[in-house]
Amino acid sequence: MYAMRRELQQYRQSGALAEATVADPHRLIQMLFEGALERIAVAKGAMEQGNIQLKGNKLTQAISIIGGLRSSLDLSQGGDLAGNLDALYEYMTRRLLQANIHNDTDALDEVIRLLREIKSAWDGIPDRLRQAS
């Protein structure tokens, strides 16, 4: 059973890597949102099951992904939107750290909701605007 899980994980990783190598910048950001959401969901399950190591690993990965989203912002050209997203990503990072320390599933749910809102807006960008940038 463990070998099957390991092989499935390797397949998922190789599939994501292959997609990332051919993805346009818009799709890469979508993949970051998806990756953060997936890791937080796994961390929440681990938290509920008392698996401290898995919870910590997945939250660390989610924080790293959010850091990547944050570092992709162009604060000099992005105006208020970039500044607001920067502050929101920083807030999400703090909430994930607090969730990890206090086993707070409500904090995880809050970050999931925020990420889904931003991802939904990102997903709604029309193709013509994606290609123009």
Side-chain angles (χ1 to χ4, degrees):
M1 182 66 148
Y2 175 75
M4 265 190 353
R5 251 191 251 147
R6 190 181 71 235
E7 289 171 6
L8 180 59
Q9 183 64 23
Q10 288 173 340
Y11 172 76
R12 284 183 183 154
Q13 288 174 345
S14 65
L17 182 59
E19 184 179 0
T21 60
V22 297
D24 62 62
H26 186 271
R27 179 64 187 130
L28 288 173
I29 297 296
Q30 287 176 316
M31 291 173 69
L32 289 174
F33 284 123
E34 292 162 5
L37 288 165
E38 177 185 339
R39 282 157 181 82
I40 295 168
V42 172
K44 183 177 178 183
M47 187 181 288
E48 291 168 344
Q49 295 172 3
N51 187 335
I52 296 167
Q53 182 177 359
L54 181 61
K55 172 196 74 166
N57 288 342
K58 292 303 174 182
L59 288 177
T60 297
Q61 292 171 358
I63 289 167
S64 179
I65 291 170
I66 291 170
L69 288 166
R70 190 174 180 200
S71 69
S72 73
L73 296 171
D74 186 345
L75 297 173
S76 66
Q77 302 231 355
D80 288 342
L81 179 59
N84 290 340
L85 283 172
D86 183 60
L88 189 57
Y89 290 146
E90 195 273 329
Y91 172 77
M92 285 189 242
T93 298
R94 278 196 328 267
R95 291 297 285 155
L96 290 176
L97 289 169
Q98 292 168 350
N100 192 21
I101 292 167
H102 301 291
N103 286 322
D104 184 353
T105 58
D106 290 338
L108 297 181
D109 290 337
E110 178 185 11
V111 174
I112 287 170
R113 182 182 54 76
L114 291 168
L115 282 171
R116 283 184 179 156
E117 273 186 53
I118 299 168
K119 183 182 182 308
S120 175
W122 188 258
D123 291 345
I125 296 173
D127 285 338
R128 62 181 169 75
L129 292 178
R130 291 180 200 171
Q131 295 166 354
S133 58

